[in-house]
Amino acid sequence: MPVVIVENDTSQWEDETGAVYHFPKRYQNFLKQGAEVIYYKGRIKDKSFASERLSSDPHYFGTARIGKVYKDSQSSKGDLYALIEGYTRFEKAVPAKIDGRYLEEIPENRTSNYWRDGVRPISKNNYDLILGHAVLIIKNLETHHSVSNIDPLDFESKNEGSKTTYFGTRYERQKDLRLKAIAIHGLSCTACGFDFERVYGEYAKGFIHVHHIVPISSYGEDKAVDPETDLVTLCANCHAVVHRKREETLSIDQLKAMLKRQLASDYTPDEHL
Ligand SMILES: [Zn+2]
Ligand SMILES: [Zn+2]
């Protein structure tokens, strides 16, 4: 069954459109891997988001598919999150209502509270109807183009905000994988536990490097990157050490073993503070 998923302009989750979607446990039967979804936004509440939306009115703005679903370890209520695959944005907003009629059929027993739901299963007919009004912007993030010529270091935070380093499909693909890797592995260093926000405060919030465990050169032509198994989050120091020698990339276990050895000796990095 296709599903409409609501994205709020601001949310506690900091969801990333087209990459990661958080949701309460009660929706887990609707958001299973492989489910077709349509993205929806309700009426604008805060005008400052106007430029980030296709419309201020309630509207649909893209289509995608649910990828792997994970438990949100940060949540005490059993919330989940899904990786989003094949996100395709609409060129223009598809209004929730056209010619006075909603494109979503509202069940009779739900007329008073239907729009409150953040996740709404819809019929195939409704799904086709909404898509029928949409002009898709096909970016083709899905095609597993060769990644063999990507510099192993290009997953780093320098990509954040600077579209000059990488552009087009490759940039988007990288950004997408980066967001998924962070959702899965978190923002602290997998090897040493360093957390930029905890140490530097708000200014460094969200900063972390994303490292490819599998050396790029060993990838086949069509091997897609799995953010869960192929990527890991590292602090800038650990990442630099992993790539210290050109001919060899250390494994995370090797790195952890090194850290442990050094900690066992009497070196304390904070001594001079
Ligand atoms: Zn580290
Ligand atoms: Zn790396």
Side-chain angles (χ1 to χ4, degrees):
M1 198 190 300
V3 184
V4 169
I5 56 175
V6 177
E7 189 180 77
N8 298 315
D9 289 330
T10 50
S11 85
Q12 53 176 319
W13 307 119
E14 302 180 8
D15 278 334
E16 298 286 349
T17 312
V20 181
Y21 188 79
H22 285 82
F23 55 94
K25 205 173 161 188
R26 67 177 180 279
Y27 296 132
Q28 70 177 329
N29 287 335
F30 303 132
L31 296 181
K32 292 244 165 80
Q33 187 163 12
E36 301 285 346
V37 296
I38 292 181
Y39 267 102
Y40 172 94
K41 270 185 194 291
R43 188 176 308 285
I44 195 165
K45 291 196 183 94
D46 177 347
K47 291 267 189 320
S48 64
F49 288 98
S51 63
E52 292 166 35
R53 302 169 49 117
L54 294 178
S55 164
S56 294
D57 293 323
H59 67 282
Y60 307 96
F61 64 92
T63 170
R65 209 171 47 248
I66 296 297
K68 245 172 138 174
V69 176
Y70 295 86
K71 284 207 166 67
D72 181 355
S73 59
Q74 314 274 42
S75 163
S76 54
K77 291 175 293 179
D79 294 329
L80 305 153
Y81 64 92
L83 303 187
I84 301 293
E85 308 294 343
Y87 174 61
T88 308
R89 201 161 63 80
F90 297 166
E91 197 171 303
K92 279 187 289 196
V94 172
K97 213 177 192 176
I98 292 179
D99 296 332
R101 287 194 59 176
Y102 287 115
L103 301 186
E104 277 174 69
E105 215 170 301
I106 302 164
E108 262 173 50
N109 60 341
R110 297 291 321 276
T111 46
S112 62
N113 58 5
Y114 180 77
W115 299 99
R116 231 182 279 160
D117 285 354
V119 171
R120 306 190 292 260
I122 55 171
S123 68
K124 183 77 171 68
N125 276 348
N126 283 181
Y127 177 79
D128 291 340
L129 183 64
I130 296 166
L131 282 192
H133 287 282
V135 180
L136 306 179
I137 298 177
I138 310 272
K139 283 246 190 71
N140 238 347
L141 292 190
E142 285 298 282
T143 45
H144 303 141
H145 44 79
S146 165
V147 287
S148 55
N149 54 352
I150 296 176
D151 168 4
L153 288 173
D154 69 12
F155 257 100
E156 291 156 26
S157 13
K158 70 185 176 192
N159 276 357
E160 274 178 312
S162 99
K163 297 214 178 192
T164 48
T165 323
Y166 293 96
F167 46 87
T169 305
R170 184 193 288 180
Y171 170 78
E172 301 244 351
R173 181 87 188 124
Q174 300 267 321
K175 192 177 151 216
D176 180 65
L177 283 169
R178 175 178 162 77
L179 294 170
K180 287 172 178 170
I182 289 172
I184 296 167
H185 302 292
L187 280 166
S188 50
C189 177
T190 309
C192 75
F194 190 90
D195 180 321
F196 282 88
E197 187 187 6
R198 223 172 59 215
V199 176
Y200 295 99
E202 175 74 21
Y203 190 82
K205 189 179 175 182
F207 187 89
I208 193 75
H209 284 197
V210 174
H211 165 68
H212 246 113
I213 295 172
V214 187
I216 294 290
S217 54
S218 67
Y219 269 74
E221 273 288 297
D222 276 345
K223 171 87 168 67
V225 177
D226 181 335
E228 182 179 359
T229 53
D230 301 345
L231 302 177
V232 75
T233 48
L234 289 178
C235 74
N237 280 344
C238 287
H239 198 194
V241 172
V242 152
H243 289 292
R244 172 103 168 85
K245 301 202 169 158
R246 192 166 261 287
E247 63 280 7
E248 179 196 21
T249 303
L250 296 182
S251 73
I252 303 306
D253 283 342
Q254 284 174 306
L255 187 65
K256 280 182 174 163
M258 281 179 183
L259 280 165
K260 216 166 163 185
R261 246 190 334 265
Q262 286 310 106
L263 277 175
S265 73
D266 52 7
Y267 171 71
T268 46
D270 288 337
E271 232 165 23
H272 62 285
L273 288 177

